[in-house]
PDB file of all heavy atoms in Angstrom:
ATOM      1  N   CYS M  17       0.827  -1.203   0.000  1.00 45.00           N
ATOM      2  CA  CYS M  17       0.002  -0.001  -0.001  1.00 45.00           C
ATOM      3  C   CYS M  17       0.857   1.251  -0.002  1.00 45.00           C
ATOM      4  O   CYS M  17       0.582   2.233  -0.694  1.00 45.00           O
ATOM      5  CB  CYS M  17      -0.928   0.006   1.219  1.00 45.00           C
ATOM      6  SG  CYS M  17      -2.226  -1.234   1.128  1.00 45.00           S
ATOM      7  N   ALA M  18       1.950   1.234   0.790  1.00 47.00           N
ATOM      8  CA  ALA M  18       2.818   2.395   0.857  1.00 47.00           C
ATOM      9  C   ALA M  18       3.498   2.635  -0.491  1.00 47.00           C
ATOM     10  O   ALA M  18       3.616   3.760  -0.962  1.00 47.00           O
ATOM     11  CB  ALA M  18       3.860   2.208   1.950  1.00 47.00           C
ATOM     12  N   ALA M  19       3.914   1.543  -1.140  1.00 51.00           N
ATOM     13  CA  ALA M  19       4.585   1.674  -2.429  1.00 51.00           C
ATOM     14  C   ALA M  19       3.630   2.171  -3.498  1.00 51.00           C
ATOM     15  O   ALA M  19       4.028   2.848  -4.439  1.00 51.00           O
ATOM     16  CB  ALA M  19       5.176   0.318  -2.830  1.00 51.00           C
ATOM     17  N   ALA M  20       2.338   1.827  -3.346  1.00 58.00           N
ATOM     18  CA  ALA M  20       1.354   2.202  -4.370  1.00 58.00           C
ATOM     19  C   ALA M  20       0.898   3.639  -4.242  1.00 58.00           C
ATOM     20  O   ALA M  20       0.228   4.150  -5.127  1.00 58.00           O
ATOM     21  CB  ALA M  20       0.144   1.272  -4.277  1.00 58.00           C
ATOM     22  N   LEU M  21       1.230   4.308  -3.139  1.00 58.00           N
ATOM     23  CA  LEU M  21       0.790   5.683  -2.919  1.00 58.00           C
ATOM     24  C   LEU M  21       1.595   6.624  -3.800  1.00 58.00           C
ATOM     25  O   LEU M  21       2.814   6.787  -3.629  1.00 58.00           O
ATOM     26  CB  LEU M  21       0.965   6.068  -1.452  1.00 58.00           C
ATOM     27  CG  LEU M  21       0.402   7.420  -1.029  1.00 58.00           C
ATOM     28  CD1 LEU M  21      -1.118   7.418  -1.191  1.00 58.00           C
ATOM     29  CD2 LEU M  21       0.772   7.721   0.409  1.00 58.00           C
ATOM     30  N   THR M  22       0.954   7.219  -4.781  1.00 66.00           N
ATOM     31  CA  THR M  22       1.644   8.110  -5.712  1.00 66.00           C
ATOM     32  C   THR M  22       1.739   9.508  -5.137  1.00 66.00           C
ATOM     33  O   THR M  22       0.963   9.882  -4.241  1.00 66.00           O
ATOM     34  CB  THR M  22       0.876   8.179  -7.040  1.00 66.00           C
ATOM     35  OG1 THR M  22      -0.374   8.836  -6.814  1.00 66.00           O
ATOM     36  CG2 THR M  22       0.630   6.791  -7.605  1.00 66.00           C
ATOM     37  N   PRO M  23       2.666  10.337  -5.643  1.00 68.00           N
ATOM     38  CA  PRO M  23       2.737  11.729  -5.174  1.00 68.00           C
ATOM     39  C   PRO M  23       1.418  12.475  -5.360  1.00 68.00           C
ATOM     40  O   PRO M  23       1.041  13.296  -4.527  1.00 68.00           O
ATOM     41  CB  PRO M  23       3.845  12.321  -6.045  1.00 68.00           C
ATOM     42  CG  PRO M  23       4.714  11.150  -6.400  1.00 68.00           C
ATOM     43  CD  PRO M  23       3.766   9.992  -6.557  1.00 68.00           C
ATOM     44  N   ALA M  24       0.711  12.188  -6.448  1.00 67.00           N
ATOM     45  CA  ALA M  24      -0.572  12.865  -6.684  1.00 67.00           C
ATOM     46  C   ALA M  24      -1.574  12.517  -5.600  1.00 67.00           C
ATOM     47  O   ALA M  24      -2.318  13.379  -5.116  1.00 67.00           O
ATOM     48  CB  ALA M  24      -1.123  12.475  -8.060  1.00 67.00           C
ATOM     49  N   GLU M  25      -1.608  11.227  -5.181  1.00 65.00           N
ATOM     50  CA  GLU M  25      -2.515  10.815  -4.114  1.00 65.00           C
ATOM     51  C   GLU M  25      -2.112  11.462  -2.794  1.00 65.00           C
ATOM     52  O   GLU M  25      -2.963  11.838  -1.991  1.00 65.00           O
ATOM     53  CB  GLU M  25      -2.505   9.290  -4.001  1.00 65.00           C
ATOM     54  CG  GLU M  25      -3.181   8.596  -5.183  1.00 65.00           C
ATOM     55  CD  GLU M  25      -2.952   7.099  -5.177  1.00 65.00           C
ATOM     56  OE1 GLU M  25      -1.921   6.655  -4.634  1.00 65.00           O
ATOM     57  OE2 GLU M  25      -3.795   6.379  -5.727  1.00 65.00           O
ATOM     58  N   ALA M  26      -0.825  11.563  -2.573  1.00 68.00           N
ATOM     59  CA  ALA M  26      -0.356  12.186  -1.330  1.00 68.00           C
ATOM     60  C   ALA M  26      -0.732  13.655  -1.263  1.00 68.00           C
ATOM     61  O   ALA M  26      -0.860  14.220  -0.179  1.00 68.00           O
ATOM     62  CB  ALA M  26       1.155  12.009  -1.214  1.00 68.00           C
ATOM     63  N   ARG M  27      -0.904  14.303  -2.395  1.00 91.00           N
ATOM     64  CA  ARG M  27      -1.256  15.728  -2.432  1.00 91.00           C
ATOM     65  C   ARG M  27      -2.747  15.987  -2.333  1.00 91.00           C
ATOM     66  O   ARG M  27      -3.166  17.134  -2.233  1.00 91.00           O
ATOM     67  CB  ARG M  27      -0.712  16.363  -3.724  1.00 91.00           C
ATOM     68  CG  ARG M  27       0.796  16.507  -3.785  1.00 91.00           C
ATOM     69  CD  ARG M  27       1.206  17.454  -4.897  1.00 91.00           C
ATOM     70  NE  ARG M  27       0.793  16.968  -6.200  1.00 91.00           N
ATOM     71  CZ  ARG M  27       1.539  16.208  -6.998  1.00 91.00           C
ATOM     72  NH1 ARG M  27       2.745  15.819  -6.597  1.00 91.00           N
ATOM     73  NH2 ARG M  27       1.101  15.809  -8.175  1.00 91.00           N
ATOM     74  N   GLU M  28      -3.563  14.928  -2.404  1.00 94.00           N
ATOM     75  CA  GLU M  28      -5.012  15.142  -2.437  1.00 94.00           C
ATOM     76  C   GLU M  28      -5.528  15.815  -1.173  1.00 94.00           C
ATOM     77  O   GLU M  28      -6.424  16.674  -1.241  1.00 94.00           O
ATOM     78  CB  GLU M  28      -5.726  13.807  -2.658  1.00 94.00           C
ATOM     79  CG  GLU M  28      -7.244  13.872  -2.650  1.00 94.00           C
ATOM     80  CD  GLU M  28      -7.844  14.703  -3.778  1.00 94.00           C
ATOM     81  OE1 GLU M  28      -7.095  15.138  -4.689  1.00 94.00           O
ATOM     82  OE2 GLU M  28      -9.065  14.928  -3.749  1.00 94.00           O
ATOM     83  N   ALA M  29      -4.987  15.463  -0.017  1.00 93.00           N
ATOM     84  CA  ALA M  29      -5.442  16.092   1.229  1.00 93.00           C
ATOM     85  C   ALA M  29      -5.195  17.596   1.191  1.00 93.00           C
ATOM     86  O   ALA M  29      -6.060  18.396   1.587  1.00 93.00           O
ATOM     87  CB  ALA M  29      -4.733  15.465   2.423  1.00 93.00           C
ATOM     88  N   LYS M  30      -4.020  18.007   0.703  1.00 95.00           N
ATOM     89  CA  LYS M  30      -3.702  19.448   0.625  1.00 95.00           C
ATOM     90  C   LYS M  30      -4.587  20.134  -0.424  1.00 95.00           C
ATOM     91  O   LYS M  30      -5.038  21.269  -0.210  1.00 95.00           O
ATOM     92  CB  LYS M  30      -2.231  19.639   0.270  1.00 95.00           C
ATOM     93  CG  LYS M  30      -1.776  21.105   0.218  1.00 95.00           C
ATOM     94  CD  LYS M  30      -1.978  21.815   1.551  1.00 95.00           C
ATOM     95  CE  LYS M  30      -1.205  23.124   1.626  1.00 95.00           C
ATOM     96  NZ  LYS M  30      -1.581  24.103   0.609  1.00 95.00           N
ATOM     97  N   ARG M  31      -4.823  19.454  -1.539  1.00 96.00           N
ATOM     98  CA  ARG M  31      -5.694  20.048  -2.570  1.00 96.00           C
ATOM     99  C   ARG M  31      -7.081  20.296  -2.011  1.00 96.00           C
ATOM    100  O   ARG M  31      -7.665  21.370  -2.217  1.00 96.00           O
ATOM    101  CB  ARG M  31      -5.780  19.120  -3.794  1.00 96.00           C
ATOM    102  CG  ARG M  31      -6.560  19.740  -4.965  1.00 96.00           C
ATOM    103  CD  ARG M  31      -7.078  18.680  -5.923  1.00 96.00           C
ATOM    104  NE  ARG M  31      -8.117  17.875  -5.332  1.00 96.00           N
ATOM    105  CZ  ARG M  31      -9.388  18.285  -5.154  1.00 96.00           C
ATOM    106  NH1 ARG M  31      -9.748  19.509  -5.482  1.00 96.00           N
ATOM    107  NH2 ARG M  31     -10.279  17.479  -4.614  1.00 96.00           N
ATOM    108  N   ARG M  32      -7.624  19.319  -1.287  1.00 97.00           N
ATOM    109  CA  ARG M  32      -8.966  19.485  -0.716  1.00 97.00           C
ATOM    110  C   ARG M  32      -8.968  20.569   0.362  1.00 97.00           C
ATOM    111  O   ARG M  32      -9.949  21.308   0.490  1.00 97.00           O
ATOM    112  CB  ARG M  32      -9.476  18.151  -0.149  1.00 97.00           C
ATOM    113  CG  ARG M  32      -9.772  17.129  -1.221  1.00 97.00           C
ATOM    114  CD  ARG M  32     -10.600  15.976  -0.674  1.00 97.00           C
ATOM    115  NE  ARG M  32     -10.776  14.921  -1.674  1.00 97.00           N
ATOM    116  CZ  ARG M  32     -11.619  13.905  -1.544  1.00 97.00           C
ATOM    117  NH1 ARG M  32     -12.362  13.793  -0.457  1.00 97.00           N
ATOM    118  NH2 ARG M  32     -11.725  12.990  -2.493  1.00 97.00           N
ATOM    119  N   TRP M  33      -7.898  20.647   1.141  1.00 96.00           N
ATOM    120  CA  TRP M  33      -7.831  21.690   2.164  1.00 96.00           C
ATOM    121  C   TRP M  33      -7.837  23.078   1.523  1.00 96.00           C
ATOM    122  O   TRP M  33      -8.558  23.972   1.965  1.00 96.00           O
ATOM    123  CB  TRP M  33      -6.588  21.518   3.034  1.00 96.00           C
ATOM    124  CG  TRP M  33      -6.402  22.678   3.965  1.00 96.00           C
ATOM    125  CD1 TRP M  33      -5.467  23.677   3.878  1.00 96.00           C
ATOM    126  CD2 TRP M  33      -7.219  23.010   5.088  1.00 96.00           C
ATOM    127  NE1 TRP M  33      -5.640  24.584   4.886  1.00 96.00           N
ATOM    128  CE2 TRP M  33      -6.721  24.197   5.645  1.00 96.00           C
ATOM    129  CE3 TRP M  33      -8.325  22.395   5.683  1.00 96.00           C
ATOM    130  CZ2 TRP M  33      -7.284  24.793   6.760  1.00 96.00           C
ATOM    131  CZ3 TRP M  33      -8.896  22.998   6.801  1.00 96.00           C
ATOM    132  CH2 TRP M  33      -8.368  24.176   7.324  1.00 96.00           C
ATOM    133  N   ASP M  34      -7.054  23.266   0.468  1.00 97.00           N
ATOM    134  CA  ASP M  34      -7.032  24.566  -0.207  1.00 97.00           C
ATOM    135  C   ASP M  34      -8.395  24.913  -0.791  1.00 97.00           C
ATOM    136  O   ASP M  34      -8.834  26.063  -0.737  1.00 97.00           O
ATOM    137  CB  ASP M  34      -5.977  24.553  -1.324  1.00 97.00           C
ATOM    138  CG  ASP M  34      -4.544  24.518  -0.795  1.00 97.00           C
ATOM    139  OD1 ASP M  34      -4.344  24.868   0.389  1.00 97.00           O
ATOM    140  OD2 ASP M  34      -3.639  24.139  -1.554  1.00 97.00           O
ATOM    141  N   GLU M  35      -9.060  23.906  -1.353  1.00 98.00           N
ATOM    142  CA  GLU M  35     -10.395  24.124  -1.908  1.00 98.00           C
ATOM    143  C   GLU M  35     -11.379  24.529  -0.813  1.00 98.00           C
ATOM    144  O   GLU M  35     -12.160  25.484  -0.976  1.00 98.00           O
ATOM    145  CB  GLU M  35     -10.874  22.856  -2.608  1.00 98.00           C
ATOM    146  CG  GLU M  35     -12.250  22.974  -3.226  1.00 98.00           C
ATOM    147  CD  GLU M  35     -12.718  21.665  -3.852  1.00 98.00           C
ATOM    148  OE1 GLU M  35     -12.390  20.587  -3.320  1.00 98.00           O
ATOM    149  OE2 GLU M  35     -13.430  21.719  -4.869  1.00 98.00           O
ATOM    150  N   LEU M  36     -11.334  23.824   0.315  1.00 98.00           N
ATOM    151  CA  LEU M  36     -12.238  24.134   1.416  1.00 98.00           C
ATOM    152  C   LEU M  36     -11.958  25.515   1.980  1.00 98.00           C
ATOM    153  O   LEU M  36     -12.898  26.257   2.313  1.00 98.00           O
ATOM    154  CB  LEU M  36     -12.092  23.073   2.504  1.00 98.00           C
ATOM    155  CG  LEU M  36     -12.966  23.234   3.751  1.00 98.00           C
ATOM    156  CD1 LEU M  36     -14.437  23.270   3.383  1.00 98.00           C
ATOM    157  CD2 LEU M  36     -12.675  22.106   4.738  1.00 98.00           C
ATOM    158  N   CYS M  37     -10.695  25.891   2.096  1.00 98.00           N
ATOM    159  CA  CYS M  37     -10.346  27.219   2.577  1.00 98.00           C
ATOM    160  C   CYS M  37     -10.929  28.298   1.661  1.00 98.00           C
ATOM    161  O   CYS M  37     -11.477  29.305   2.133  1.00 98.00           O
ATOM    162  CB  CYS M  37      -8.828  27.353   2.675  1.00 98.00           C
ATOM    163  SG  CYS M  37      -8.265  28.943   3.326  1.00 98.00           S
ATOM    164  N   GLN M  38     -10.848  28.080   0.347  1.00 98.00           N
ATOM    165  CA  GLN M  38     -11.396  29.072  -0.585  1.00 98.00           C
ATOM    166  C   GLN M  38     -12.915  29.150  -0.476  1.00 98.00           C
ATOM    167  O   GLN M  38     -13.504  30.243  -0.549  1.00 98.00           O
ATOM    168  CB  GLN M  38     -10.989  28.718  -2.018  1.00 98.00           C
ATOM    169  CG  GLN M  38     -11.301  29.812  -3.034  1.00 98.00           C
ATOM    170  CD  GLN M  38     -10.523  31.078  -2.758  1.00 98.00           C
ATOM    171  OE1 GLN M  38      -9.305  31.044  -2.600  1.00 98.00           O
ATOM    172  NE2 GLN M  38     -11.219  32.206  -2.673  1.00 98.00           N
ATOM    173  N   ILE M  39     -13.567  28.015  -0.293  1.00 98.00           N
ATOM    174  CA  ILE M  39     -15.017  28.006  -0.113  1.00 98.00           C
ATOM    175  C   ILE M  39     -15.400  28.841   1.102  1.00 98.00           C
ATOM    176  O   ILE M  39     -16.330  29.661   1.053  1.00 98.00           O
ATOM    177  CB  ILE M  39     -15.518  26.550   0.042  1.00 98.00           C
ATOM    178  CG1 ILE M  39     -15.465  25.830  -1.308  1.00 98.00           C
ATOM    179  CG2 ILE M  39     -16.940  26.513   0.615  1.00 98.00           C
ATOM    180  CD1 ILE M  39     -15.721  24.337  -1.210  1.00 98.00           C
ATOM    181  N   ARG M  40     -14.692  28.658   2.199  1.00 98.00           N
ATOM    182  CA  ARG M  40     -14.985  29.425   3.415  1.00 98.00           C
ATOM    183  C   ARG M  40     -14.745  30.910   3.208  1.00 98.00           C
ATOM    184  O   ARG M  40     -15.555  31.753   3.626  1.00 98.00           O
ATOM    185  CB  ARG M  40     -14.128  28.895   4.561  1.00 98.00           C
ATOM    186  CG  ARG M  40     -14.545  27.517   5.067  1.00 98.00           C
ATOM    187  CD  ARG M  40     -13.454  26.885   5.911  1.00 98.00           C
ATOM    188  NE  ARG M  40     -13.944  25.756   6.698  1.00 98.00           N
ATOM    189  CZ  ARG M  40     -13.162  24.845   7.241  1.00 98.00           C
ATOM    190  NH1 ARG M  40     -11.837  24.914   7.096  1.00 98.00           N
ATOM    191  NH2 ARG M  40     -13.694  23.853   7.954  1.00 98.00           N
ATOM    192  N   LYS M  41     -13.631  31.261   2.591  1.00 98.00           N
ATOM    193  CA  LYS M  41     -13.329  32.674   2.343  1.00 98.00           C
ATOM    194  C   LYS M  41     -14.432  33.319   1.499  1.00 98.00           C
ATOM    195  O   LYS M  41     -14.914  34.414   1.803  1.00 98.00           O
ATOM    196  CB  LYS M  41     -11.992  32.809   1.633  1.00 98.00           C
ATOM    197  CG  LYS M  41     -10.780  32.559   2.496  1.00 98.00           C
ATOM    198  CD  LYS M  41      -9.496  32.683   1.680  1.00 98.00           C
ATOM    199  CE  LYS M  41      -8.261  32.466   2.539  1.00 98.00           C
ATOM    200  NZ  LYS M  41      -7.009  32.509   1.737  1.00 98.00           N
ATOM    201  N   ASP M  42     -14.815  32.637   0.435  1.00 98.00           N
ATOM    202  CA  ASP M  42     -15.822  33.197  -0.455  1.00 98.00           C
ATOM    203  C   ASP M  42     -17.166  33.349   0.255  1.00 98.00           C
ATOM    204  O   ASP M  42     -17.880  34.337   0.038  1.00 98.00           O
ATOM    205  CB  ASP M  42     -15.986  32.307  -1.695  1.00 98.00           C
ATOM    206  CG  ASP M  42     -14.766  32.333  -2.599  1.00 98.00           C
ATOM    207  OD1 ASP M  42     -13.899  33.206  -2.404  1.00 98.00           O
ATOM    208  OD2 ASP M  42     -14.667  31.469  -3.504  1.00 98.00           O
ATOM    209  N   LYS M  43     -17.518  32.388   1.094  1.00 98.00           N
ATOM    210  CA  LYS M  43     -18.784  32.461   1.823  1.00 98.00           C
ATOM    211  C   LYS M  43     -18.811  33.693   2.726  1.00 98.00           C
ATOM    212  O   LYS M  43     -19.791  34.443   2.756  1.00 98.00           O
ATOM    213  CB  LYS M  43     -18.962  31.184   2.656  1.00 98.00           C
ATOM    214  CG  LYS M  43     -20.213  31.162   3.523  1.00 98.00           C
ATOM    215  CD  LYS M  43     -21.471  30.979   2.693  1.00 98.00           C
ATOM    216  CE  LYS M  43     -21.761  29.522   2.448  1.00 98.00           C
ATOM    217  NZ  LYS M  43     -23.082  29.347   1.759  1.00 98.00           N
ATOM    218  N   LEU M  44     -17.731  33.925   3.465  1.00 98.00           N
ATOM    219  CA  LEU M  44     -17.698  35.049   4.391  1.00 98.00           C
ATOM    220  C   LEU M  44     -17.534  36.385   3.678  1.00 98.00           C
ATOM    221  O   LEU M  44     -18.067  37.406   4.119  1.00 98.00           O
ATOM    222  CB  LEU M  44     -16.565  34.858   5.407  1.00 98.00           C
ATOM    223  CG  LEU M  44     -16.713  33.637   6.328  1.00 98.00           C
ATOM    224  CD1 LEU M  44     -15.536  33.549   7.289  1.00 98.00           C
ATOM    225  CD2 LEU M  44     -18.024  33.676   7.093  1.00 98.00           C
ATOM    226  N   ASP M  45     -16.819  36.388   2.559  1.00 98.00           N
ATOM    227  CA  ASP M  45     -16.615  37.633   1.812  1.00 98.00           C
ATOM    228  C   ASP M  45     -17.851  38.044   1.024  1.00 98.00           C
ATOM    229  O   ASP M  45     -18.224  39.224   0.987  1.00 98.00           O
ATOM    230  CB  ASP M  45     -15.446  37.484   0.834  1.00 98.00           C
ATOM    231  CG  ASP M  45     -14.088  37.521   1.510  1.00 98.00           C
ATOM    232  OD1 ASP M  45     -14.014  37.963   2.668  1.00 98.00           O
ATOM    233  OD2 ASP M  45     -13.099  37.105   0.871  1.00 98.00           O
ATOM    234  N   GLN M  46     -18.506  37.064   0.395  1.00 97.00           N
ATOM    235  CA  GLN M  46     -19.524  37.391  -0.604  1.00 97.00           C
ATOM    236  C   GLN M  46     -20.960  37.194  -0.133  1.00 97.00           C
ATOM    237  O   GLN M  46     -21.849  37.927  -0.566  1.00 97.00           O
ATOM    238  CB  GLN M  46     -19.279  36.540  -1.869  1.00 97.00           C
ATOM    239  CG  GLN M  46     -17.907  36.787  -2.492  1.00 97.00           C
ATOM    240  CD  GLN M  46     -17.642  35.863  -3.669  1.00 97.00           C
ATOM    241  OE1 GLN M  46     -18.545  35.513  -4.419  1.00 97.00           O
ATOM    242  NE2 GLN M  46     -16.399  35.453  -3.826  1.00 97.00           N
ATOM    243  N   ILE M  47     -21.195  36.217   0.710  1.00 98.00           N
ATOM    244  CA  ILE M  47     -22.558  35.890   1.113  1.00 98.00           C
ATOM    245  C   ILE M  47     -22.935  36.551   2.434  1.00 98.00           C
ATOM    246  O   ILE M  47     -24.033  37.098   2.584  1.00 98.00           O
ATOM    247  CB  ILE M  47     -22.747  34.359   1.237  1.00 98.00           C
ATOM    248  CG1 ILE M  47     -22.371  33.655  -0.073  1.00 98.00           C
ATOM    249  CG2 ILE M  47     -24.171  34.022   1.659  1.00 98.00           C
ATOM    250  CD1 ILE M  47     -23.236  34.030  -1.258  1.00 98.00           C
ATOM    251  N   LEU M  48     -22.055  36.504   3.400  1.00 98.00           N
ATOM    252  CA  LEU M  48     -22.384  36.978   4.755  1.00 98.00           C
ATOM    253  C   LEU M  48     -22.812  38.444   4.818  1.00 98.00           C
ATOM    254  O   LEU M  48     -23.814  38.743   5.486  1.00 98.00           O
ATOM    255  CB  LEU M  48     -21.203  36.717   5.686  1.00 98.00           C
ATOM    256  CG  LEU M  48     -21.414  37.115   7.142  1.00 98.00           C
ATOM    257  CD1 LEU M  48     -22.557  36.314   7.774  1.00 98.00           C
ATOM    258  CD2 LEU M  48     -20.132  36.924   7.957  1.00 98.00           C
ATOM    259  N   PRO M  49     -22.116  39.394   4.170  1.00 98.00           N
ATOM    260  CA  PRO M  49     -22.535  40.802   4.312  1.00 98.00           C
ATOM    261  C   PRO M  49     -23.976  41.049   3.864  1.00 98.00           C
ATOM    262  O   PRO M  49     -24.757  41.706   4.586  1.00 98.00           O
ATOM    263  CB  PRO M  49     -21.540  41.559   3.430  1.00 98.00           C
ATOM    264  CG  PRO M  49     -20.330  40.676   3.383  1.00 98.00           C
ATOM    265  CD  PRO M  49     -20.870  39.283   3.378  1.00 98.00           C
ATOM    266  N   GLN M  50     -24.346  40.545   2.728  1.00 97.00           N
ATOM    267  CA  GLN M  50     -25.703  40.742   2.219  1.00 97.00           C
ATOM    268  C   GLN M  50     -26.727  40.094   3.134  1.00 97.00           C
ATOM    269  O   GLN M  50     -27.775  40.682   3.443  1.00 97.00           O
ATOM    270  CB  GLN M  50     -25.813  40.163   0.815  1.00 97.00           C
ATOM    271  CG  GLN M  50     -27.180  40.377   0.162  1.00 97.00           C
ATOM    272  CD  GLN M  50     -27.262  39.716  -1.203  1.00 97.00           C
ATOM    273  OE1 GLN M  50     -26.943  38.541  -1.355  1.00 97.00           O
ATOM    274  NE2 GLN M  50     -27.667  40.486  -2.208  1.00 97.00           N
ATOM    275  N   ALA M  51     -26.439  38.874   3.605  1.00 98.00           N
ATOM    276  CA  ALA M  51     -27.390  38.166   4.460  1.00 98.00           C
ATOM    277  C   ALA M  51     -27.597  38.896   5.784  1.00 98.00           C
ATOM    278  O   ALA M  51     -28.735  39.009   6.269  1.00 98.00           O
ATOM    279  CB  ALA M  51     -26.905  36.735   4.714  1.00 98.00           C
ATOM    280  N   MET M  52     -26.534  39.396   6.389  1.00 98.00           N
ATOM    281  CA  MET M  52     -26.683  40.116   7.658  1.00 98.00           C
ATOM    282  C   MET M  52     -27.503  41.390   7.465  1.00 98.00           C
ATOM    283  O   MET M  52     -28.390  41.706   8.283  1.00 98.00           O
ATOM    284  CB  MET M  52     -25.308  40.441   8.245  1.00 98.00           C
ATOM    285  CG  MET M  52     -24.600  39.238   8.845  1.00 98.00           C
ATOM    286  SD  MET M  52     -23.007  39.636   9.637  1.00 98.00           S
ATOM    287  CE  MET M  52     -23.556  40.671  11.018  1.00 98.00           C
ATOM    288  N   ARG M  53     -27.245  42.111   6.416  1.00 98.00           N
ATOM    289  CA  ARG M  53     -27.945  43.382   6.200  1.00 98.00           C
ATOM    290  C   ARG M  53     -29.402  43.165   5.830  1.00 98.00           C
ATOM    291  O   ARG M  53     -30.276  43.926   6.262  1.00 98.00           O
ATOM    292  CB  ARG M  53     -27.186  44.199   5.154  1.00 98.00           C
ATOM    293  CG  ARG M  53     -25.873  44.730   5.718  1.00 98.00           C
ATOM    294  CD  ARG M  53     -24.857  45.170   4.710  1.00 98.00           C
ATOM    295  NE  ARG M  53     -23.591  45.489   5.410  1.00 98.00           N
ATOM    296  CZ  ARG M  53     -22.434  45.683   4.796  1.00 98.00           C
ATOM    297  NH1 ARG M  53     -22.336  45.586   3.471  1.00 98.00           N
ATOM    298  NH2 ARG M  53     -21.342  45.956   5.503  1.00 98.00           N
ATOM    299  N   GLU M  54     -29.688  42.148   5.043  1.00 98.00           N
ATOM    300  CA  GLU M  54     -31.084  41.859   4.711  1.00 98.00           C
ATOM    301  C   GLU M  54     -31.888  41.496   5.960  1.00 98.00           C
ATOM    302  O   GLU M  54     -33.080  41.812   6.046  1.00 98.00           O
ATOM    303  CB  GLU M  54     -31.167  40.704   3.718  1.00 98.00           C
ATOM    304  CG  GLU M  54     -30.839  41.077   2.288  1.00 98.00           C
ATOM    305  CD  GLU M  54     -31.031  39.916   1.342  1.00 98.00           C
ATOM    306  OE1 GLU M  54     -31.657  38.908   1.751  1.00 98.00           O
ATOM    307  OE2 GLU M  54     -30.558  40.007   0.200  1.00 98.00           O
ATOM    308  N   ASN M  55     -31.247  40.842   6.909  1.00 98.00           N
ATOM    309  CA  ASN M  55     -31.942  40.378   8.110  1.00 98.00           C
ATOM    310  C   ASN M  55     -31.839  41.357   9.279  1.00 98.00           C
ATOM    311  O   ASN M  55     -32.360  41.061  10.365  1.00 98.00           O
ATOM    312  CB  ASN M  55     -31.404  39.002   8.512  1.00 98.00           C
ATOM    313  CG  ASN M  55     -31.877  37.896   7.593  1.00 98.00           C
ATOM    314  OD1 ASN M  55     -33.007  37.422   7.709  1.00 98.00           O
ATOM    315  ND2 ASN M  55     -31.034  37.487   6.652  1.00 98.00           N
TER     316      ASN M  55
END
């Protein structure tokens, strides 16, 4: 299993973390201000 782990597979956790971080940033930057003010 260790030998079969490719560099691309090893990077998947970091790729998903970066994606999730961007999702959170965009939510707070773009969605939150309008929602708070409307309510």
Side-chain angles (χ1 to χ4, degrees):
C17 290
L21 187 64
T22 67
E25 290 170 333
R27 290 195 298 268
E28 177 64 7
K30 183 59 165 60
R31 186 201 69 76
R32 291 195 186 191
W33 172 253
D34 290 341
E35 180 183 34
L36 180 57
C37 182
Q38 190 64 51
I39 287 170
R40 289 164 165 162
K41 286 178 178 177
D42 292 348
K43 177 72 86 174
L44 297 180
D45 285 344
Q46 300 176 35
I47 304 297
L48 182 62
Q50 183 183 51
M52 286 184 65
R53 289 162 187 168
E54 283 184 14
N55 287 281

